[in-house]
Amino acid sequence: MARRRVDVRREEILDAAVGEVTRRGFARTRVADVAETLGVSTALVFYHFDSKQRLLAAALDHAVGRDLDRLAAAISRPGTDLARLRRILSLYAPQGSAPGWTLWVDAWAEALRNPELRTHCRTLDRQWTDAIAATINSGVEAGMFVCPDPESTARRITSLMDGLSVQATVHRRLSRTQLRTWTREYAAAQLAVHPDALA
Amino acid sequence: MARRRVDVRREEILDAAVGEVTRRGFARTRVADVAETLGVSTALVFYHFDSKQRLLAAALDHAVGRDLDRLAAAISRPGTDLARLRRILSLYAPQGSAPGWTLWVDAWAEALRNPELRTHCRTLDRQWTDAIAATINSGVEAGMFVCPDPESTARRITSLMDGLSVQATVHRRLSRTQLRTWTREYAAAQLAVHPDALA
DNA sequence: GCGCCTACTGACTCGCGAGTCAGTATGCCG
DNA sequence: CGGCATACTGACTCGCGAGTCAGTAGGCGC
């Protein structure tokens, strides 16, 4: 087996772990699964991560990091606050791509009993709501939005999206298009802009 | 150990199973835990339920049934549709009591990979939204609410509550009072009534 | 080429938890 | 009372998956 530098291999393992956890869920992922997808021995995984616990925690951290990187990119791009908000909402909604909402739903359940994972989930949630709140705030100052309490509004918007995402991914009762439409409408109403402005 | 009739013992086991799953989560609940809380042998549990799979599925079904019974009671009580809606919303919001939202969050995660559990979760979701939709419909006919699409509105209301409940139970970032207030405000806005009417 | 650090493996151990089964005991019916 | 159906148990088996360890080999500095 081709030898790698430690940091490279760690990254590889984390990518694989995120994939397996997304596929199988936290509870059903065995470290052997992760090793197998990489074509390495399970012992190697334990060489890089002391225990399964730590591996999965690191994997979630990794996934969270990726997600937040994409968020940061969406924020930093130039444009009006309206355009920025549009980008953020569109990023948050369930997409065809990785890591996917199944991972977050699974992470919530795990976080109920695992304080370390809870921290990661909370960080993720905080950063998204903070990003939305900041954008709303800035938009209000620019006279673009009307919103008495941006912080609370941001939390309600993310909550609605979380709930709609459960409908879409768990119950399979909601199309992504519908989800996006409803989110847009709600956000628009809360900010006193026309829904089409967020399309 | 005191002998019971089959149906009595089954019920007892299901109650205990719901308790253990709520406490430990689906993945970490062992049949030995359930047996232990009842002070019986694990073999007895397997005498009544063929496998752990079936036990947990039956337990979820049991919990869902209980929840829907409480819903039915709230619906059938006399009063205006406004009062009925108020009761339904208040029942849906996280309460101090059993079975509790942790169970549902856990069930969602489990449902992602287990079609049988998914059916139960979906049923629960359907019944709640249907109950809300029916109440809205009836209220619209009575000229009490204004709502162009009661079915969709009901689904948005439950979604918001689901999302807020995640905030409250997983991230622990939201008080129940706040959750109730925001839900009430949203429902009121969607139905063109004053928020205090739902308090 | 010669070490030598370090990434990596095969082949284990070990405990845990699902599920089984040959029996035991309890209460009901005659 | 005796007999019988059935609720129930103790003491197993068995497989699986986490974690270990004594080694092996790849690549880099010299």
Side-chain angles (χ1 to χ4, degrees), chain B residues 12-80:
Chain B
E12 253 188 31
I13 294 175
L14 287 176
D15 284 341
V18 171
E20 287 307 293
V21 170
T22 303
R23 188 166 310 119
R24 301 170 194 270
F26 274 91
R28 304 184 212 217
T29 298
R30 296 161 299 148
V31 339
D33 294 327
V34 176
E36 208 173 324
T37 59
L38 289 173
V40 299
S41 66
T42 65
L44 180 64
V45 178
F46 284 106
Y47 176 77
H48 290 282
F49 298 90
D50 292 355
S51 68
K52 182 186 173 178
Q53 269 272 350
R54 278 167 197 257
L55 170 65
L56 294 189
L60 183 63
D61 196 32
H62 191 65
V64 167
R66 270 195 211 159
D67 214 54
L68 294 180
D69 285 347
R70 296 197 298 153
L71 174 62
I75 294 171
S76 63
R77 270 176 56 195
T80 63

Side-chain angles (χ1 to χ4, degrees), chain A residues 115-142:
Chain A
E116 191 178 355
L117 294 202
R118 177 151 62 239
T119 308
H120 293 147
C121 285
R122 200 193 258 135
T123 302
L124 186 66
D125 181 68
R126 264 208 109 81
Q127 303 259 28
W128 279 96
T129 45
D130 285 356
I132 294 174
T135 306
I136 294 177
N137 249 318
S138 164
V140 167
E141 275 170 28

Side-chain angles (χ1 to χ4, degrees), chain B residues 1-175:
Chain B
M1 182 44 36
R3 234 170 127 90
R4 311 276 157 100
R5 283 205 341 269
V6 174
D7 53 339
V8 174
R9 187 61 97 184
R10 260 189 73 100
E11 199 82 355
E12 253 188 31
I13 294 175
L14 287 176
D15 284 341
V18 171
E20 287 307 293
V21 170
T22 303
R23 188 166 310 119
R24 301 170 194 270
F26 274 91
R28 304 184 212 217
T29 298
R30 296 161 299 148
V31 339
D33 294 327
V34 176
E36 208 173 324
T37 59
L38 289 173
V40 299
S41 66
T42 65
L44 180 64
V45 178
F46 284 106
Y47 176 77
H48 290 282
F49 298 90
D50 292 355
S51 68
K52 182 186 173 178
Q53 269 272 350
R54 278 167 197 257
L55 170 65
L56 294 189
L60 183 63
D61 196 32
H62 191 65
V64 167
R66 270 195 211 159
D67 214 54
L68 294 180
D69 285 347
R70 296 197 298 153
L71 174 62
I75 294 171
S76 63
R77 270 176 56 195
T80 63
D81 292 312
L82 189 65
R84 184 167 291 118
L85 185 62
R86 195 190 304 135
R87 266 181 269 129
I88 296 175
L89 295 187
S90 146
L91 212 54
Y92 197 92
Q95 322 219 274
S97 65
W101 270 89
T102 53
L103 183 62
W104 307 129
V105 173
D106 217 52
W108 293 339
E110 206 60 23
L112 286 171
R113 275 107 196 168
N114 183 330
E116 191 177 355
L117 294 202
R118 177 153 61 239
T119 308
H120 293 149
C121 286
R122 201 194 257 133
T123 302
L124 186 67
D125 181 68
R126 265 208 107 81
Q127 303 260 29
W128 278 95
T129 46
D130 286 356
I132 294 175
T135 305
I136 294 177
N137 249 319
S138 165
V140 167
E141 275 169 27
M144 197 172 248
F145 305 141
V146 178
C147 179
D149 185 351
E151 164 65 17
S152 299
T153 302
R155 295 178 64 181
R156 288 194 297 263
I157 293 173
T158 53
S159 291
L160 180 63
M161 293 178 86
D162 285 349
L164 291 174
S165 299
V166 170
Q167 291 266 331
T169 55
V170 179
H171 308 315
R172 321 236 171 119
R173 280 186 75 198
L174 194 70
S175 73

Side-chain angles (χ1 to χ4, degrees), chain A residues 88-164:
Chain A
I88 296 175
L89 295 187
S90 145
L91 212 54
Y92 196 92
Q95 323 218 272
S97 65
W101 270 89
T102 54
L103 182 62
W104 306 129
V105 173
D106 217 52
W108 291 340
E110 206 60 23
L112 286 170
R113 274 107 195 167
N114 183 330
E116 191 178 355
L117 294 202
R118 177 151 62 239
T119 308
H120 293 147
C121 285
R122 200 193 258 135
T123 302
L124 186 66
D125 181 68
R126 264 208 109 81
Q127 303 259 28
W128 279 96
T129 45
D130 285 356
I132 294 174
T135 306
I136 294 177
N137 249 318
S138 164
V140 167
E141 275 170 28
M144 197 171 247
F145 306 141
V146 178
C147 179
D149 185 352
E151 164 65 17
S152 299
T153 303
R155 294 178 65 181
R156 288 194 298 263
I157 293 173
T158 54
S159 291
L160 180 63
M161 293 179 88
D162 285 349
L164 291 174

